[in-house]
Structures are given as C-alpha cells and as structure tokens.
Amino acid sequence: YGYLKFDSFHVTGADVQRIALRQVFVAPDAKEDLPPLDVPKEELLRMAQEGEMDAREAKAAAGGRDQEEYRRRYQESPTRGVKDFLREARRAVVIGDPGSGKSSLLQEILLEWAEQPEGKPFPLMVELRQCAMEKADWRGDFCQYFALAADSLFKFNAKDLESYLRENDSVLLVDGLDEVFDPNERKRLTERVLDFASRFARATVLV
C-alpha cells in the first residue's frame, strides 16, 4: 500500500520506478451530503423503500422544486478536507468518480497508522473485489476473512481479533465496493459490512 499501483497500465518491458504514495497523494476536499443524482424517479423510490437511501433525500432527488432546492443547497454547502470529515465520523461512505483518490485515501489512513500508531484506532483494510473472488470459506465474517484469505495483507487468529475489536477502537477501511459488479454479490458484501458495524460498537467503518 505504500506505493502507487500501475496494474492497469501496460508496462511490459518498461523501466517502472516505484513511487511512494505519500510523496504525491493530496487528500481532496469533500461535501458532507449526497450529491444530486441523475437517477430515474422509480429507482430512487425503490431505493428509499428498500432502505438503500434516506427517504427524505430520495424525495428531494426525485423531482420538481424539491430537486432544485436540494441541488442548490448542495452547491452552496461548504467544502472541507475529507480527512476532517472522517475524523469526526463513525460511519461514512466516500463517493467520488473513478480515479478521484478514494482508494488512495484509505491507504493513506493505513500508512499514517503504520508510521505513528499511538492514540489512533487500529486499522483493517479490506478490498471487496478480493473478497468476492476469495475461495476460502470465510462465511461472510471479516474476522474469519482476515484469518483465512490468501490475498489478505492481514493474518490474525479470528477469535483473538474478535476479542480485540470488542475491547479496543478500530477502523475498518472498506475499498472497492463500486468494483463489485454483480449486484447480488455487492448486496451480500454490503450486508457483511453492516453486520461488522453492528457487532463491533467501538469500530469506525469507512467505505
């Protein structure tokens, strides 16, 4: 996680120099609201009915003067450094375009802890795309995932990790929800993240 990833570039035969993430990454500014959505009204109402979206926000985004008022309020709302928001949040979802730095932001949080862990919650990074492909039977339990997954950076005894998370502050850094393209699998993994948040009251969850 300490270096930029060039996996999506064709670099066969090229001389690729490793570039440290923290040398180039600049945390973006953000707004503490859901941006106006260009989503069909029927889909917004379905999301509200199934609990995927706040009913008030869905109504505001669904049309008419409410939508225009919501758009105006969003545009006029102040921006702040995204890290400022995340330091205050117990549960947060960072929304941004591909390449806007969402993954790098989570990696930066992990690296900050590695450099100076005192007084900071213990971080766990999980890449949902890897979770979806993982063949080990982790049964939807992230404590089991960190014990069994072949590609996980972290390796813990599941019972020891669960006990630690119940008694200490931690932060689950969830990367790549938008990279899980199967809607059923994405829903299943989302439920697993919500289950983790409900099981461990002291944990912060950043998606």
Side-chain angles (χ1 to χ4, degrees):
Y1 292 120
Y3 295 88
L4 297 184
K5 297 179 180 179
F6 296 102
D7 298 348
S8 59
F9 294 91
H10 180 69
V11 294
T12 302
D15 182 17
V16 179
Q17 181 180 3
R18 296 214 302 174
I19 302 175
L21 173 69
R22 303 195 72 186
Q23 289 181 345
V24 296
F25 177 70
V26 178
D29 290 338
K31 291 176 180 283
E32 194 177 11
D33 274 307
L34 187 69
L37 302 175
D38 293 322
V39 178
K41 181 178 179 179
E42 294 76 13
E43 179 64 11
L44 288 168
L45 296 178
R46 181 199 66 77
M47 293 169 67
Q49 289 172 356
E50 296 185 7
E52 298 178 17
M53 184 177 183
D54 180 80
R56 179 182 57 82
E57 293 176 346
K59 180 180 178 181
R65 287 177 295 178
D66 287 341
Q67 184 182 32
E68 292 304 316
E69 173 64 16
Y70 186 84
R71 189 180 300 275
R72 183 189 64 79
R73 287 193 292 107
Y74 177 79
Q75 291 173 345
E76 293 177 357
S77 63
T79 59
R80 296 166 54 198
V82 66
K83 286 186 178 181
D84 293 336
F85 285 122
L86 297 184
R87 273 191 285 268
E88 300 169 358
R90 297 288 295 168
R91 308 283 186 265
V93 177
V94 179
I95 300 173
D97 294 331
S100 60
K102 301 185 298 295
S103 296
S104 296
L105 173 65
L106 298 183
Q107 293 169 26
E108 168 77 359
I109 293 171
L110 185 65
L111 293 170
E112 284 181 346
W113 178 89
E115 185 177 275
Q116 186 64 41
E118 288 78 10
K120 297 176 183 175
F122 179 67
L124 293 164
M125 172 79 84
V126 58
E127 299 183 58
L128 292 186
R129 180 177 59 180
Q130 297 297 332
C131 289
M133 297 187 295
E134 177 57 48
K135 295 180 180 179
D137 183 19
W138 58 285
R139 300 187 296 279
D141 180 343
F142 283 119
C143 291
Q144 291 290 336
Y145 177 80
F146 290 125
L148 300 174
D151 291 331
S152 174
L153 172 68
F154 306 92
K155 294 295 181 183
F156 300 107
N157 176 281
K159 290 185 178 179
D160 289 345
L161 178 59
E162 181 172 348
S163 177
Y164 181 87
L165 294 176
R166 293 190 185 282
E167 299 174 5
N168 298 274
D169 294 336
S170 62
V171 54
L172 182 68
L173 306 169
V174 182
D175 190 26
L177 180 60
D178 56 343
E179 297 175 7
V180 180
F181 300 115
D182 183 310
N184 293 324
E185 185 67 15
R186 186 166 60 244
K187 181 178 180 181
R188 185 181 73 86
L189 290 171
T190 300
E191 289 171 349
R192 300 286 70 79
V193 173
L194 294 174
D195 178 66
F196 181 95
S198 66
R199 286 173 61 198
F200 302 109
R202 297 188 63 163
T204 295
V205 178
L206 306 180
V207 180

